[in-house]
Amino acid sequence: MTEPHQSYEVFEEIGRGDDTVVSRAHDLHLGRDVAIKHLRPEVASNTQRRERFLSEAKFLAQFDHPAILRIHSVEPSRGWIVMDLMKGSLAAQIQHAP
């Protein structure tokens, strides 16, 4: 089941952390698959946590390195960080890396 958003079609959850959820999505304007990371509902209303989350995106966007997923955009009104979709699992990536 998909959930339409203005610029993205959001699919299934692919990861979860203490404060965040990552979903697979498709950028409808650029025609590419992406990952959307957002705060879990129970922490999304915490202004300090939300600001720290969005500043994390700004910090990571400075880098262009194969070991760091590229940040494509931030949607502050939704609390989203839109980034590269990692192919495969982190465990598989580590296994094939030096």
Side-chain angles (χ1 to χ4, degrees):
M1 180 166 77
T2 63
E3 183 180 337
H5 291 280
Q6 294 170 339
S7 302
Y8 302 95
E9 191 170 9
V10 180
F11 301 105
E12 76 277 3
E13 179 181 312
I14 57 174
R16 181 175 285 259
D18 290 339
D19 293 342
T20 59
V21 175
V22 180
S23 298
R24 184 177 67 86
H26 186 76
D27 184 323
L28 298 171
H29 294 294
L30 298 176
R32 64 178 168 196
D33 290 334
V34 295
I36 296 178
K37 182 177 184 179
H38 61 90
L39 289 170
R40 293 172 67 158
E42 58 270 20
V43 295
S45 61
N46 181 318
T47 304
Q48 184 179 20
R49 181 61 188 108
R50 188 180 182 96
E51 287 175 8
R52 190 170 58 217
F53 174 72
L54 295 173
S55 69
E56 171 190 326
K58 188 174 181 179
F59 175 74
L60 292 173
Q62 299 175 67
F63 300 98
D64 183 15
H65 189 277
I68 300 174
L69 296 173
R70 286 180 305 156
I71 304 295
H72 296 291
S73 68
V74 174
E75 303 223 356
S77 63
R78 291 186 174 134
W80 284 4
I81 299 173
V82 181
M83 61 184 71
D84 281 341
L85 179 64
M86 183 188 309
K87 306 297 183 208
S89 69
L90 180 57
Q93 294 288 329
I94 292 170
Q95 193 174 42
H96 291 86

